[in-house]
Amino acid sequence: MIDYNDINIVYEDNHLLVVVKPQNMPVAEDQSGDDDLLNALKRYLKDKYEKPGEAYLGLVHRLDRPTGGVMVFAKTSKAAARLQESIKSGDFEKRYLAVTTGIPKEKKAFLKNALYKDEAKNTVYCVPIATEGAKLALMEYDTMETRENLALLDIHIYTGRSHQIRVQLKTIGCPIFGDAKYGLGKSPEGYNMALWATEIRFSHPVTKEKLVFRVYPPKEEVPWKFFDIQTKLSIKM
């Protein structure tokens, strides 16, 4: 069972809980049966506030299991509904960092693809736009730095499709470093996938204050340690 004391809580008030999701942990209960972030945080709330029953915590967005980074949860149903409205309206902005194996031909580009998810295999494919069940995926990347055959990308997504960033980058021949599912050939052993949710921006569901939360990937880990990420991001802010 996950010890919630090991989870980095970035911010908490009466309406929100913002945390750093550890890599290789499911956000919510899945077929693996492994303990998940949502239930660990519910235990945290139950213990902290001495709640008699199960604590409420609303899941308003997700990250793939191998992806780490910043996430926001809603502590009330009202906050959850308003955050979901923010996501639909485009007020909720998500920014990622990724290191790819292979350097994109275009330094900066907007990618538009139709994606189809095979639920049985939990695998997403890039397909023709007219394919039944396909969903439009939109993202933009900017190459911040390159080292040999690796590229550090700053990524904004405009749709929240399953495995979106991983599949769209594979489509341009630049899969994410350490991605066992969508990488080209054998994935490097012993390394986490180099995809990190580094920033979220949204309006507070009650006060309407514009909030920005930013967390950095583990700077001592391969391949992040090959890049001066904090300096690069500070220049772009």
Side-chain angles (χ1 to χ4, degrees), residues 14-211:
N14 291 333
H15 312 280
L16 304 174
L17 185 61
V18 181
V19 307
V20 179
K21 175 193 171 297
Q23 291 186 276
N24 304 312
M25 178 189 294
V27 169
E29 192 172 339
D30 62 15
Q31 293 179 341
S32 72
D34 295 339
D35 198 13
D36 60 90
L37 181 61
L38 181 63
N39 279 309
L41 293 174
K42 285 182 178 180
R43 292 195 298 270
Y44 158 75
L45 294 174
K46 179 178 173 62
D47 291 349
K48 180 177 180 179
Y49 298 104
E50 300 180 346
K51 292 182 177 291
E54 181 177 317
Y56 174 85
L57 193 63
L59 178 63
V60 295
H61 68 117
R62 293 175 178 265
L63 292 177
D64 291 348
R65 181 173 181 144
T67 306
V70 64
M71 288 192 69
V72 59
F73 293 83
K75 291 173 67 175
T76 67
S77 57
K78 178 192 288 187
R82 290 182 178 176
L83 285 173
Q84 287 168 345
E85 288 172 6
S86 294
I87 291 171
K88 290 178 182 177
S89 70
D91 179 58
F92 193 101
E93 300 177 51
K94 293 180 280 187
R95 182 178 185 182
Y96 294 78
L97 291 176
V99 177
T100 60
T101 301
I103 298 172
K105 293 180 180 177
E106 296 181 78
K107 182 179 183 299
K108 185 175 183 178
F110 181 84
L111 303 181
K112 179 179 179 180
N113 300 100
L115 303 182
Y116 173 80
K117 184 174 184 180
D118 184 327
E119 296 289 349
K121 296 180 179 179
N122 191 32
T123 302
V124 177
Y125 302 93
C126 186
V127 296
I129 190 66
T131 303
E132 184 177 355
K135 295 181 178 180
L136 188 64
L138 307 173
M139 65 167 268
E140 186 176 20
Y141 74 82
D142 186 9
T143 305
M144 301 175 71
E145 189 179 352
T146 61
R147 292 287 179 91
E148 297 182 353
N149 195 42
L150 300 176
L152 174 66
L153 306 186
D154 178 28
I155 296 167
H156 290 258
I157 63 170
Y158 301 98
T159 50
R161 309 306 182 199
S162 182
H163 302 183
Q164 172 179 341
I165 298 173
R166 300 161 69 184
V167 177
Q168 289 190 277
L169 290 177
K170 177 188 176 182
T171 300
I172 64 169
C174 297
I176 295 173
F177 178 96
D179 190 344
K181 182 181 287 285
Y182 298 105
L184 300 178
K186 189 175 181 181
S187 176
E189 293 183 4
Y191 299 116
N192 287 321
M193 185 175 74
L195 178 60
W196 189 263
T198 196
E199 183 180 284
I200 50 175
R201 295 172 179 254
F202 59 93
S203 298
H204 191 285
V206 176
T207 69
K208 305 305 178 185
E209 177 188 1
K210 192 69 175 182
L211 301 176

Side-chain angles (χ1 to χ4, degrees), residues 99 147 191 218-229:
V99 177
R147 292 287 179 91
Y191 299 116
K219 63 181 181 180
E220 301 302 324
E221 288 189 11
V222 174
W224 303 111
K225 70 178 186 178
F226 301 143
F227 303 94
D228 185 3
I229 292 170

